[in-house]
Amino acid sequence: MVAYWRQAGLSYIRFSAICASAVRAALKPQFKVEALKVAESSVKVYVPKAVALGQYQLYIRLSMIITLIICSSQQIASYHH
Amino acid sequence: MMAARFLRCALPVLRQARCYADAPSGSAQMSFTFASPTQVYFKEASVKQVDVPTLTGAFGILPAHVPTLQVLRPGVVTVFNDDGSAAKFFVSSGSITVNADSSVQLLAEEAFPLDQLDVAAAKVNLEKAQSEMASASDEAARAEVQINIDANEAIVKALE
C-alpha cells in the first residue's frame, strides 16, 4: 500500500521534516526556544544568485582544461613506456 | 561387505548424531539505543520491551525479535525498563533497526518526553492546518498539509 504522500510525489525526508516541525511547534515555550535554535542552525539554505555563478564559470572551465592537459600528458608519458 | 555398509549408514543414528537447526543463541537481553540529533535517551541500555509506532503499524519489540528495519511515524515510543517502569517519548519520525544480536537502534528526527509537549498548542496547530487544507492548491501541497494534520492529531492523541 502506497502512502498518500508518496503518491503525491513527496519523499520520506520531506515527510520527516514536516513531522519534525509540527512536533517542534507543539513544544512548551521553555523547550521550544532551544529546539528551534538547534533546528535552524543545522541546515542553512543558501541560494546562489545566477550572476555570482557566472563568475565561477571561468574558473571551472580553466580547471577543466588544466585537468585535461594533465590527463593527456600522463597518457602520452605512459604511451612512451 | 553388506555389514560394513550397514554399519556406515547406521553409525550416525547409533552415535545419536542429529542435524536439527541450531537453537536460538541470542542472550535474553536487548541492547537499546534511542537518540535524536540533540539528545541521547538510551545508550546500549538493557530494557525489557520497546513499543514503536511505524509507518506499517505499531508493534512491541522484545529481546530476540526478528531482525527488521522500519521507519517511524509521529507517535509515542514506550520503553519498559528492567525494573518494570515505563518511559514514554513522542517521536516525530526516524528509523528503527533490530539486529540479529537483539540490539535495537531507534534514531528519531525529533524526540521529546511527553511532558515537554503542550496539548493546547497542538490543538491550535491542528485547527490551523485543517483550515489550510481548503486553500491547498495541488496534490503535493495537500499532502504536506495532511502530514501536518496527522502529526498534530498524533500529538493530541498522545497527550490526552
Side-chain angles (χ1 to χ4, degrees):
Chain A
M1 240 181 52
V2 181
Y4 62 86
W5 42 267
R6 180 71 72 180
Q7 251 179 336
L10 298 177
S11 69
Y12 182 77
I13 302 280
R14 186 81 191 111
F15 171 85
S16 180
I18 297 172
C19 292
S21 62
V23 172
R24 277 193 293 270
L27 281 173
K28 288 184 178 154
Q30 62 264 40
F31 305 107
K32 194 188 278 203
V33 174
E34 187 60 43
L36 285 178
K37 212 183 337 160
V38 175
E40 300 297 307
S41 65
S42 55
V43 178
K44 210 162 131 186
V45 181
Y46 170 62
V47 181
K49 291 194 277 292
V51 175
L53 202 54
Q55 289 174 351
Y56 288 109
Q57 279 183 6
L58 180 62
Y59 170 71
I60 291 167
R61 288 207 180 100
L62 271 177
S63 52
M64 270 170 48
I65 291 169
I66 292 168
T67 317
L68 279 171
I69 292 171
I70 293 172
C71 288
S72 49
S73 64
Q74 276 181 348
Q75 274 196 339
I76 294 168
S78 61
Y79 180 68
H80 273 297
H81 283 283
Chain B
M1 200 190 77
M2 286 287 287
R5 198 189 300 164
F6 169 72
L7 272 178
R8 205 183 323 125
C9 294
L11 213 49
V13 178
L14 295 174
R15 243 189 309 139
Q16 296 288 309
R18 288 163 178 238
C19 307
Y20 292 141
D22 295 325
S25 59
S27 59
Q29 296 224 336
M30 62 193 261
S31 150
F32 179 53
T33 304
F34 173 20
S36 73
T38 50
Q39 178 99 8
V40 176
Y41 292 104
F42 290 85
K43 186 177 169 195
E44 290 168 6
S46 161
V47 298
K48 262 203 304 211
Q49 181 181 336
V50 186
D51 291 343
V52 293
T54 69
L55 273 187
T56 49
F59 61 92
I61 300 173
L62 291 157
H65 192 280
V66 63
T68 180
L69 299 173
Q70 300 284 347
V71 283
L72 304 174
R73 58 143 54 109
V76 176
V77 165
T78 312
V79 181
F80 296 90
N81 296 310
D82 279 340
D83 58 3
S85 61
K88 289 195 183 192
F89 304 89
F90 192 88
V91 299
S92 72
S93 45
S95 72
I96 179 145
T97 308
V98 181
N99 302 111
D101 61 357
S102 280
S103 63
V104 177
Q105 289 87 32
L106 202 167
L107 305 174
E109 173 137 14
E110 294 282 359
F112 302 102
L114 283 184
D115 54 13
Q116 288 187 11
L117 290 172
D118 188 5
V119 66
K123 283 185 177 156
V124 165
N125 292 336
L126 177 59
E127 278 164 18
K128 220 188 312 178
Q130 279 166 341
S131 62
E132 258 175 47
M133 190 59 148
S135 59
S137 46
D138 64 341
E139 206 186 336
R142 255 200 304 276
E144 293 197 357
V145 176
Q146 185 62 45
I147 295 171
N148 205 352
I149 292 174
D150 289 344
N152 282 306
E153 274 176 353
I155 300 174
V156 169
K157 188 163 163 231
L159 293 173
E160 278 180 347

